């Protein structure tokens, strides 16, 4: 048996491909940098991260990108010795969507700089390589004849010239979905199975009514016949209190043993209809009957536990729960908000520590703050760190942050109050801030103690915040804070919650810095 999700935490829009006995998968990253994590598996259940596809500023400029914009829905494909990752860059709520792809011969990189595609409207691009060697692009767009209802979209296709890296020839309208009132036809993937072209798409938006539908044709340009069993996968009929919700945006793969499997996104609400971890990656079996895909035959839903794929089990070494910042590079689980600008972080200036320099930028704007964070991956968890920081003025602060967006977050920070240092918990909800609790920090000079320990524990949606001036001598700062403000259901958007470290001069310049000796993230049993 295996247990879902196979990628817990904010890993939405999975796309998968197989090369021999190896499987590779990518997911969306929106405003976070590096972009598009790439994973490797031998058995479809256990995955290790190889790196990021977009790990250089020359590949990914996220300057000024609002929350939940940026990189949408990548597709990963392999053809003739080359890996292709194609995706959408969304600069704002109203701007044009820009589509591009990058290539690599090694999935661990390096990947090329982007090839930007001209006249490629819409989002969620995908690539398909036909038997004759031709390559095709699919995406979504507004129907040329006009939208018949709000968010009415269609899937379109055009040939891609692999030499010029541009779209060529006519555009073809393929399909506008099976669920006419479901809206938001997107996430197309093309496959060829037993002489038929299958078009798998997402419909109904990425919320509660999300669904997977399919159509087929004997010609790549259509016409496409919808499956009478559509949607072939959804959980909207199970109710909003079901443990796995908003299932959709799928990709499929055939194993070397002839089995078929589907990866898809879904969320795990808890403490009510609250999805703090955003959309995660799940695995579900699939079969073919009468020329159509049947998802999880006999059940038709994504389950918590399922029988494992018929592949040799292949586990990877367990990742450490504590990062002691002893390595020359940041662990692959760490991310920045937007493209990092300036030398604001270092692992070498003080070996064994992560040094964050205070920047004027904050975690409440659309700039690149002095922040590193990692995904929340469990409903209940504990995070701890050891901080050495001496604030010099009332605008300086550093510490731990639990972040959903620029307007919804908790900051457990060390700062100044008058002439003395203090520890405080700041809650930011709907863009408004208030200090939930504060305590003066003992110091004869008024500065912070030489070392300060910070801890946050979440038991479901109940969050508790602690501090200590001596190891393990924890003192409660605030008990039972509301964790639901870190859910997409209150904050909106498409990302999941992060936990991390920050340092800010809050609009001013500063030469100060904060040193973090270690950072620990542990799941906690409810």
């Amino acid at each position: 048996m295996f247990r879902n999700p196979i990628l817990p935490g904010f890993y939405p829009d999975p796309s998968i491909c197989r090369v021999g006995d190896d499987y590779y998968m990518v997911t969306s990253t929106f405003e976070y940098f590096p972009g598009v994590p790439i994973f490797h598996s031998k058995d479809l259940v256990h995955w290790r991260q190889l790196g990021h596809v977009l790990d250089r500023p020359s590949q990914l400029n996220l300057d000024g990108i609002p929350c939940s914009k940026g990189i949408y829905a990548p597709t990963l494909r392999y053809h003739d010795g080359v890996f292709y990752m194609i995706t959408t860059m969304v600069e704002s709520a109203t701007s044009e969507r820009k589509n591009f792809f990058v290539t690599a011969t090694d999935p661990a990189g390096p990947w090329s700089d982007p090839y930007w595609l001209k006249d490629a409207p819409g989002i969620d691009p995908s690539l398909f390589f036909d038997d004759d060697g031709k390559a095709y692009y699919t995406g979504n767009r507004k129907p040329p004849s006009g939208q018949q209802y709000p968010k009415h979209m269609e899937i379109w296709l055009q040939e891609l010239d692999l030499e010029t890296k541009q779209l060529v020839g006519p555009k073809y309208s393929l399909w506008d979905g099976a669920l006419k009132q479901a809206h938001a036809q997107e996430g197309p993937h093309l496959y060829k199975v037993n002489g038929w072209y299958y078009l798998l798409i997402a419909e109904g938006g990425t919320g509660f009514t999300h669904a997977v539908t399919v159509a087929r044709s004997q010609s790549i340009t259509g016409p496409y016949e919808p499956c009478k069993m559509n949607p072939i996968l959804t959980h909207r009929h199970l109710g909003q209190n079901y443990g796995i919700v908003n299932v959709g945006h799928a990709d499929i793969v055939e194993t070397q043993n002839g089995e078929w499997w589907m990866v898809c996104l879904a969320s795990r609400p808890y403490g009510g209809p609250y999805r703090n971890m955003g959309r995660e990656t799940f695995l579900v079996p699939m079969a073919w009957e009468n020329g159509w895909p049947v998802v999880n035959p006999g059940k038709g839903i994504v389950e918590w536990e399922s029988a494992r794929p018929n592949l040799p089990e292949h586990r990877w070494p367990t990742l450490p729960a504590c990062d002691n910042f002893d390595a020359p590079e940041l662990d692959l689980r760490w991310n920045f908000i937007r493209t990092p600008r300036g030398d604001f972080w270092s692992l070498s200036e003080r070996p064994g520590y992560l040094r964050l320099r205070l920047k004027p930028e904050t975690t409440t704007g659309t700039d690149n703050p002095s922040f590193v964070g990692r995904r929340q991956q469990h409903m209940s968890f504990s995070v701890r760190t050891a901080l050495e920081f001496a604030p010099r003025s009332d605008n300086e602060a550093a510490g731990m942050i639990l972040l959903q967006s620029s307007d919804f977050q908790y900051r457990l920070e060390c700062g100044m109050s008058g002439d003395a240092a203090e520890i405080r918990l700041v809650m930011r909800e709907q863009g408004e801030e208030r200090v939930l609790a504060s305590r003066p920090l003992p110091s004869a000079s008024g500065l912070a103690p030489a070392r300060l320990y910070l801890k946050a524990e979440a038991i479901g949606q109940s969050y508790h915040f602690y501090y200590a001036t001596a190891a393990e001598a924890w003192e409660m700062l605030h008990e039972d804070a509301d964790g639901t403000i870190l859910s997409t259901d209150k904050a909106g958007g498409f990302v999941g919650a992060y936990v991390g470290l920050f340092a800010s001069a809050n609009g001013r310049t500063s030469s100060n810095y904060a040193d973090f000796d270690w950072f620990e993230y542990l799941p906690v049993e409810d």
Side-chain angles (χ1 to χ4, degrees), residues 192-198 217-219:
K192 194 173 187 179
V193 182
N194 295 329
W196 287 88
Y197 295 94
Y198 290 87
S217 174
Q218 292 191 311
S219 168

Side-chain angles (χ1 to χ4, degrees), residues 18 43 109 141 162 165 240 342 359 375 408 443 458 478:
R18 177 173 69 88
D43 60 9
R141 66 178 179 180
L162 295 179
K165 309 291 195 296
Q240 292 182 332
K359 295 179 69 174
R375 292 161 175 83
F408 291 81
S443 175
H478 187 81

Side-chain angles (χ1 to χ4, degrees), residues 290-368:
N290 301 318
W292 291 105
V294 177
V295 181
N296 199 0
K299 299 176 182 178
I301 61 172
V302 179
E303 295 182 280
W304 290 113
E305 291 187 343
S306 294
R308 293 169 41 83
N310 180 26
L311 296 168
E313 183 180 46
H314 190 104
R315 295 177 178 267
W316 305 105
T318 302
L319 294 174
C322 186
D323 191 337
N324 290 296
F325 301 121
D326 292 328
E329 303 289 340
L330 278 175
D331 187 282
L332 292 174
R333 289 170 287 180
W334 291 110
N335 295 149
F336 302 103
I337 301 175
R338 305 179 187 90
T339 308
R341 302 300 184 186
D343 296 325
F344 64 87
W345 67 277
S346 174
L347 292 169
S348 60
E349 289 183 15
R350 187 181 179 187
Y353 288 76
L354 170 65
R355 175 163 290 179
L356 291 182
R357 295 194 172 276
L358 276 65
K359 295 179 69 174
E361 292 80 10
T362 71
T363 58
T364 64
T366 56
D367 300 305
N368 165 237

